[in-house]
Amino acid sequence: MHVFLPDGKQLDLPQGATALDAAQAIGPRLAQDALAATVGGVLTDLQTPLPEGAEISLITKKNPGQAQSVFRHSLGHAMSQAVGEYYERKGYPREAVKRGVGPSIENGFYQDFDLPEPLGEEELPEIEKIMREIIGRGLPITRSEVSKAEALEQFGFDPYKVELISALPGDEPITFYTQGEYVDLCRGPHFPNTGKLPTAFKLTSTSGAYWRGNEKNPILQRVYGVAFASQKELDEYLERLEEAKRRDHRKLGRELELFTIDPLVGKGLPLWLPNGTVLREELAAFLKEQQFQRGYQGVITPNIGNLELYKTSGHYQNYSDSNFSPITVDDEQYMLKPMNCPHHVRIYDSKPRSYRDLPVRLAEFGTVYRYEQSGELNGLTRVRGFTQDDAHIFCRPDQLKKEFLDVLDLTVLVLRTFGMNDVRFRVGTRDPANEKYVGDAANWQLAEDGIIQAVEEVGLPYSIEPGDAAFYGPKLDFVVRDVLGREWQLGTIQVDYNLPERFDISYVGEDGQDHRPVMIHRAPFGSLERFVGILIEHYAGDFPLWLAPRQVAIVPIADRHNAYAEELRAELHKAGLRAEVDDTSNRMQAKVRNAELSKIPVILVVGDKEQEAREVSTRERWPDGHRERKGVGFDELKAELLERYKNRS
């Protein structure tokens, strides 16, 4: 058989040869240093047979970072082996530890276990110690193919492996990977030897996980780890992890009294506290101003709708796993609203429309409900009830490009206003092989071409993700990288020829005939809940003045200054600024410290000198640290703060 190297050189190898055979054919030093390979651009291990004519590239210990997913997977096996040995040392038989799945993931790996007794997080350092022992043993990691019968016999004691093996097609090769006495059912790929695995890893946490993600199945214990090619990379990651904990929106949400989730109200149903409500309303006001300038009309729709509405739109069928169960009222079935768009279609169709009326831009901060499994709920970023900054534009085909570009401009403006400048643009297109997509293929092509042409016209770099479209149309997603380097999908714009068809809506054209409008779905924030959760972490709760729920804290030095402080507060309040006076018995330094801990951006200190001259001393938070000013005229400061608030600077 023939394979080809990156420089185009051809290697002649025996049939069934592996990447390791290719390395040995080139030279013994390369075979010794090789860790993994790419075959046709896909990562694989050194033991998997190569196909005829493959283009291969070998990865060595000089560049182990190129094989991160491979060594992370192998470290997951080392962790799984270590857990087994840990329980054997505690006196349990080997068969007492049963295992679910254990893939590599971004930055690391995890493994699901059914353990004879729970593993505490305080025990993870001991598991790490055994993992390092396993690496030190230099165990060869070997691949073998077995029959289904052999696989079932090997894992007859483990119901999870038996279930996985039984579900495999009869003609699919079943592969085992073995290191020492540890054997696992696995597709691979893996490093060739435990001694070649990097030691820059750490086990970070454990959690419960339903077997195969189904709430009806047993809960297994999931152990997470992170791993990198070098200790420097690991240390940097752990520092970011600590920073992420400091910024955690659930923690800051409690401390800053922004929101709460009450089990008596329900999982995934956040309650907005007064401070959080201010933040949310500032966001809504900002977007409503932009929408007003761009010709949007506000609408309001109910939180439930007739089931037939969602059957007509297709949301009932296509989001069956995410919808709440229908309820019966007066012999009709209703459902909690999963999407706003069908309601907006009916508003559009509530009266005849002429080509002169288009575009019609309907906007709503509409609350929708999705059933998320309880294990997936996460503060504000994954909830069951959330409010979308939703709008739907009904336009003529000749207006589509201009309307799309305007929405694109609006969404970029929104993200830049919040300092979210690291954005990538992702075009989600239809996968013709997937049956979930509805509508005419020609219309799909028109919609996809329209999005790509608009993005290219403004010179935005983009990637295409086949199969990532909504069931009714392609979309442009805005993927934002935050200050911690994490990516979030926020705004989205979707082009839809299909819902107008499904609801049979139209407008009268210049020719007096009925024509079908095109719909644009757009949500720059995505959802207020998720956006606020991300925003809290992006700013670490240190919101700019215009967004801060508590904008100004006035600190009187002594009780005799309280009246002056209250006078200033009233003037700021009358001007529209959110100000409060700390008239507690604490010392001035403690009051300032409390205001800083509450992340109030502007602190005004007033004493005898300030009161006599109608002045204040200020301590303000800026991106580069705190700034202090003495003897600032109050009227001058009020005007300055109002200007910053008005300009959302």
Side-chain angles (χ1 to χ4, degrees), residues 33 103 369 648:
D33 290 348
Y369 300 89
R648 297 187 171 97

PDB file of all heavy atoms in Angstrom, residues 33 103 369 648:
ATOM      1  N   ASP A  33      10.120   8.970  18.838  1.00  0.00           N
ATOM      2  CA  ASP A  33       9.576  10.263  19.251  1.00  0.00           C
ATOM      3  C   ASP A  33       8.099  10.439  18.913  1.00  0.00           C
ATOM      4  O   ASP A  33       7.445  11.337  19.446  1.00  0.00           O
ATOM      5  CB  ASP A  33      10.361  11.401  18.589  1.00  0.00           C
ATOM      6  CG  ASP A  33      11.770  11.522  19.151  1.00  0.00           C
ATOM      7  OD1 ASP A  33      12.052  10.893  20.186  1.00  0.00           O
ATOM      8  OD2 ASP A  33      12.578  12.248  18.538  1.00  0.00           O
ATOM      9  N   PRO A 103     -14.967  10.885  27.528  1.00  0.00           N
ATOM     10  CA  PRO A 103     -14.319  11.518  26.376  1.00  0.00           C
ATOM     11  C   PRO A 103     -13.333  12.609  26.777  1.00  0.00           C
ATOM     12  O   PRO A 103     -13.300  13.055  27.920  1.00  0.00           O
ATOM     13  CB  PRO A 103     -15.512  12.141  25.641  1.00  0.00           C
ATOM     14  CG  PRO A 103     -16.435  12.535  26.762  1.00  0.00           C
ATOM     15  CD  PRO A 103     -16.284  11.465  27.805  1.00  0.00           C
ATOM     16  N   TYR A 369     -40.728  30.057  27.015  1.00  0.00           N
ATOM     17  CA  TYR A 369     -40.477  28.982  27.979  1.00  0.00           C
ATOM     18  C   TYR A 369     -39.964  27.750  27.238  1.00  0.00           C
ATOM     19  O   TYR A 369     -40.549  27.321  26.248  1.00  0.00           O
ATOM     20  CB  TYR A 369     -41.747  28.657  28.758  1.00  0.00           C
ATOM     21  CG  TYR A 369     -42.275  29.852  29.522  1.00  0.00           C
ATOM     22  CD1 TYR A 369     -43.163  30.744  28.918  1.00  0.00           C
ATOM     23  CD2 TYR A 369     -41.835  30.130  30.806  1.00  0.00           C
ATOM     24  CE1 TYR A 369     -43.617  31.867  29.591  1.00  0.00           C
ATOM     25  CE2 TYR A 369     -42.279  31.250  31.494  1.00  0.00           C
ATOM     26  CZ  TYR A 369     -43.169  32.116  30.871  1.00  0.00           C
ATOM     27  OH  TYR A 369     -43.605  33.232  31.543  1.00  0.00           O
ATOM     28  N   ARG A 648     -23.982  56.902  27.678  1.00  0.00           N
ATOM     29  CA  ARG A 648     -23.675  55.490  27.967  1.00  0.00           C
ATOM     30  C   ARG A 648     -22.179  55.223  27.744  1.00  0.00           C
ATOM     31  O   ARG A 648     -21.792  54.239  27.104  1.00  0.00           O
ATOM     32  CB  ARG A 648     -24.519  54.559  27.093  1.00  0.00           C
ATOM     33  CG  ARG A 648     -26.020  54.687  27.351  1.00  0.00           C
ATOM     34  CD  ARG A 648     -26.813  53.644  26.594  1.00  0.00           C
ATOM     35  NE  ARG A 648     -28.207  53.637  27.015  1.00  0.00           N
ATOM     36  CZ  ARG A 648     -29.194  54.277  26.361  1.00  0.00           C
ATOM     37  NH1 ARG A 648     -28.918  54.970  25.275  1.00  0.00           N
ATOM     38  NH2 ARG A 648     -30.431  54.218  26.802  1.00  0.00           N
TER      39      ARG A 648
END
